[in-house]
Each structure stands twice: as structure tokens, then as C-alpha cells.
Amino acid sequence: GLLRPSGMFLLALVAQGLTLENGLLRTPPMGWLAWERFRCNIHCDEDPKNCISERLFMEMADRLAQDGWRDLGYVYLNIDDCWIGGRDDKGRLVPDSKRFPRGIAFLADYAHSLGLKLGIYEDMGNMTCMGFPGTTLDTVELDAQTFAGWKVDMLKMDGCFSTSEERAQGYPKMSAALNATGRPIAFSCSWPAYEGGLPPKVNYTLLANICNLWRNYDDIQDSWNSVLSILDWFVKHQDILQPLAGPGHWNDPDMLLIGNFGLSFEESRSQMALWTMLAAPLFMSTDLRTITPQNMDILQNPLMIKINQDPLGIQGRRIYEVLEEVYKRPLTNEASALVFFSRRTDMPYHFHTSLAKLNFPRAKVYDAQNIFSGEIISGLWSENNFTVVINPSGVVMWYLNPVKNMDISETMYQL
């Protein structure tokens, strides 16, 4: 959502080159989202623990609050499709009364009482993707008011069963309607994904003014192939996509699979590292009641989260690709994050390089901290050759801090 300022103020903003914002999501949002793991399981009679219900969201809220997630920034508890029961006699959305007997406002209060935020889902079309009542152009304002009345903190708006024209009208209209409620509600849009994700069909200048994050590409599935296909699309189009991200407006490559069934240990670390480099929202979609300590360690890595949440909000890029790949993300205070990534599936790969070969400025000295082991290489000079050993489908990730500039005499001495 955004404020609709008066003409003069608008010109002033445009002159400064600022995008219009609701002040939310200055760093990528973090939290938990039901969809990838729990889908549209509405069979509460036979599967009460895992069906889309009040119980599921309350139990996940408890875990977020008690198991260290919230304190690291994982504060969004997000409902996805299949919560809607229909519309009441006044046309207002109501949750399924069997599965959400106390209503959504109750869940929002419960989340808030634990220091969490509640996200909800709708679809800019006749129906949601799973066939529940959607938001049509004539119910946009009513639905925005309903969500604000429930004290919801984020809305994810899907795009199934809609035309391009309806989406082009509906998404900006919903953004304005959310803003008009006076409640700060972060707006997650699926609009670009339904238009192929790229200009000229997608107007990202407009999008950055109406959405806080947007899905550009396919839904993630619980497999390494799915992770790679999303990564490949983002890298292929990084010249277009990378400049779009920043405080208040983010590219969303979809949920984290870590803790589910499809990824190995190395692949799990890789998704976490690569999503962090993409300045991606970190929405876990796994069962936090049964997650292993190993997977918790990956998701709760404090240095990883610090990098993901860097206040500059610059999305990283792939800067090198031969047999392996290197990704770089600029951070505050001239620091940067580096990810060395191997797609090999045979054996660990020994990659020999130097920071200078990766286009870092010459004659600079860095401290490099390994994100996973914590090990620090101090006094690494740009020209120093080093070797990283990258496991199959794995990553080595560094947090690089410049120590000092060397003057020319020192440089000559080192040579």
C-alpha cells in the first residue's frame, strides 16, 4: 500500500528519485508460511495435527515464540490458501467455521500476544488457486477493511482465475485500499509471476510503488531441481531483477524448504545461502514442531540472518561461473558476502582463486569469516591465492570485512 500524496509532494518525491512506500519491510520479511509443507490439507477429521486450522497456526506460533525463531527475526506467521469458509450476508469474508472456530481476529490477537505478526492470503480473481472465494474488483475495499479489522499484518495476493486486465486494476486498487484502512499491512503480490515475470509485460517501477514484495516466478516444490530452476531464472535475468530490490520492495523467489523431505544437508545449506544472497524473504515452510537440530542450526545461523537483513538491502549477483559459481552481495560498511557454490554431484571441488581475480579492489586486506564453521581467515590480501573446498551441491559462504587500505610501499614490499 502507499499514500496518495498531493501533486506538489508527489513531484518532490519523484524529484528525489524515491519510491512511494508504506514504511514497511525495510529489510526482507522473515517468518513461517503454511503452503509448501501443509498445502490445502483440510481433512481435520483424519489428520487433525496437520490440517489448515486454528490449531496448526497456534502451535506454529508457540514454536516461533519459544524456540528462538522470533528473537532472530522470524516474526510473520502466515496463513496461505484454504482458510476461507465463504462470505456472510453482508458480503464479508469469513473463515471456515469448523477449522477456525474462533475466527481470524482471535488468531491475530494470539500472534500479537507472542510478539508475532499474522499474514493472510487471498486471490485477485474469481477464486483462489484451490477454488475458495476470491477477491473481485468490487470486493477489494471490503476485503481490505475486513483484514484490517482483524488486525492482520500482511496480505499475500495470488492471481489465479483472473485476467491480465483484472490484475492490472486489482493489485494497485488493493494497495490503495490497504493503505486507506490506516493499518500498516505489508503487501505481497503474485502479479508479476502471472505475467511471465519480466518487462515489458511487468512494470516493475509501478510494482515497487504498490507492493512490498512480489513473486516473480514459479512456485517452489520440495526438491533440489525446483530450487535450481528458480535460482537459474533469477540469475539469467539478474541484470533486470537485481536493481529492483531494496528497502520496502523485494523479489521473492518463494519459500525455504529446509526441514522438509526433498533437500539433503548440503542442499539445505545452499538454499539458505543463495536465498540470503538474493536478499530474499525468509519464509520457512516446514513443521517447526518436529524440525531437527541440524536444520534449526541452518535456519537460525545468526551471521546468515545478519547478512540477509543488511540495512542496505542490495540484492547479490552471480559474478563468476566456470565449473563452480561465485555470488557476491555488497553490505554496509564496505563489507560483503561471498558464496562459492558447486553444482557437481561427484565429489568435493577444490576451487583456487583470489579476491583480486573475483574483481575485488587490489591492495586491500580483508578478514573472511566462514558463515557455517565460524572460522576466520584474517589478513587476507586481495592478491593472496586461496582454496575453498566445496561439497557436492554445496556452498562455502564468507562474510568479508575490509581491514585497511595498504599503501603502495607496503604493496611493493609484499610483492
Side-chain angles (χ1 to χ4, degrees), residues 260-282:
N260 291 334
F261 312 99
L263 301 191
S264 70
F265 173 66
E266 294 294 337
E267 291 161 354
S268 296
R269 281 182 159 192
S270 294
Q271 191 196 9
M272 188 72 181
L274 291 161
W275 261 229
T276 288
M277 297 306 274
L278 292 173
L282 299 182

Side-chain angles (χ1 to χ4, degrees), residues 24-38:
L24 299 173
L25 306 195
R26 308 307 301 167
T27 59
M30 298 170 61
W32 183 89
L33 180 59
W35 182 255
E36 203 295 313
R37 174 61 183 81
F38 296 96

Side-chain angles (χ1 to χ4, degrees), residues 187-261:
F187 191 26
S188 167
C189 302
S190 298
W191 186 12
Y194 286 86
E195 308 289 351
L198 297 169
K201 285 195 81 173
V202 180
N203 178 350
Y204 276 109
T205 312
L206 169 67
L207 212 67
N209 282 334
I210 67 162
C211 307
N212 294 109
L213 61 154
W214 47 76
R215 287 281 315 284
N216 322 57
Y217 188 63
D218 293 351
D219 283 6
I220 201 163
Q221 310 296 337
D222 195 358
S223 79
W224 181 233
N225 276 345
S226 176
V227 171
L228 289 179
S229 71
I230 292 170
L231 179 69
D232 286 342
W233 188 84
F234 272 84
V235 170
K236 182 181 177 186
H237 304 294
Q238 68 181 6
D239 290 347
I240 293 165
L241 301 171
Q242 187 267 338
L244 303 172
H249 42 94
W250 308 101
N251 291 305
D252 180 5
D254 214 4
M255 293 159 275
L256 295 167
L257 302 173
I258 299 148
N260 291 334
F261 312 99

Side-chain angles (χ1 to χ4, degrees), residues 49 69 90 202 244 268 307 319 340 395:
K49 266 183 75 77
W69 303 104
K90 293 194 175 133
V202 180
L244 303 172
S268 296
I307 293 167
I319 59 166
F340 305 93
V395 291

Side-chain angles (χ1 to χ4, degrees), residues 96-369:
D96 182 283
S97 58
K98 279 203 180 69
R99 294 182 287 119
F100 295 89
R102 287 176 280 194
I104 304 297
F106 164 79
L107 264 186
D109 286 344
Y110 189 76
H112 296 154
S113 75
L114 294 173
L116 303 170
K117 296 176 186 292
L118 188 76
I120 203 154
Y121 168 101
E122 242 298 8
D123 184 285
M124 192 66 248
N126 295 325
M127 289 186 291
T128 70
C129 296
M130 299 308 296
F132 292 81
T135 295
T136 46
L137 291 173
D138 57 331
T139 60
V140 165
E141 275 99 353
L142 179 62
D143 293 353
Q145 287 156 13
T146 301
F147 299 144
W150 289 340
K151 299 195 183 134
V152 163
D153 304 289
M154 180 182 284
L155 170 63
K156 173 180 170 182
M157 197 105 223
D158 218 331
C160 285
F161 303 108
S162 59
T163 64
S164 272
E165 291 72 28
E166 285 165 341
R167 293 190 290 272
Q169 285 183 60
Y171 280 97
K173 192 174 178 182
M174 179 54 87
S175 180
L178 291 173
N179 195 74
T181 66
R183 179 170 181 81
I185 299 175
F187 191 26
S188 167
C189 302
S190 298
W191 186 12
Y194 286 86
E195 308 289 351
L198 297 169
K201 285 195 81 173
V202 180
N203 178 350
Y204 276 109
T205 312
L206 169 67
L207 212 67
N209 282 334
I210 67 162
C211 307
N212 294 109
L213 61 154
W214 47 76
R215 287 281 315 284
N216 322 57
Y217 188 63
D218 293 351
D219 283 6
I220 201 163
Q221 310 296 337
D222 195 358
S223 79
W224 181 233
N225 276 345
S226 176
V227 171
L228 289 179
S229 71
I230 292 170
L231 179 69
D232 286 342
W233 188 84
F234 272 84
V235 170
K236 182 181 177 186
H237 304 294
Q238 68 181 6
D239 290 347
I240 293 165
L241 301 171
Q242 187 267 338
L244 303 172
H249 42 94
W250 308 101
N251 291 305
D252 180 5
D254 214 4
M255 293 159 275
L256 295 167
L257 302 173
I258 299 148
N260 291 334
F261 312 99
L263 301 191
S264 70
F265 173 66
E266 294 294 337
E267 291 161 354
S268 296
R269 281 182 159 192
S270 294
Q271 191 196 9
M272 188 72 181
L274 291 161
W275 261 229
T276 288
M277 297 306 274
L278 292 173
L282 299 182
F283 288 131
M284 307 180 285
S285 191
T286 188
D287 192 339
L288 299 177
R289 300 166 299 195
T290 56
I291 189 169
T292 64
Q294 191 181 55
N295 285 313
M296 275 183 83
D297 282 349
I298 296 172
L299 289 159
Q300 294 196 352
N301 183 307
L303 203 46
M304 183 79 76
I305 291 168
K306 180 184 174 180
I307 293 167
N308 177 270
Q309 297 290 296
D310 185 77
L312 280 183
I314 298 172
Q315 183 169 315
R317 302 172 64 95
R318 187 168 74 189
I319 59 166
Y320 178 91
E321 180 204 15
V322 179
L323 287 167
E324 60 308 293
E325 299 166 34
V326 183
Y327 292 75
K328 180 183 179 186
R329 181 174 172 192
L331 305 170
T332 42
N333 303 322
E334 292 181 67
S336 47
L338 273 187
V339 165
F340 305 93
F341 172 48
S342 172
R343 297 188 190 224
R344 292 176 66 134
T345 54
D346 54 351
M347 62 190 295
Y349 183 75
H350 292 243
F351 178 43
H352 312 287
T353 189
S354 71
L355 294 178
K357 284 179 197 152
L358 298 173
N359 290 326
F360 277 75
R362 301 185 82 76
K364 275 207 163 191
V365 181
Y366 295 85
D367 285 346
Q369 184 166 7

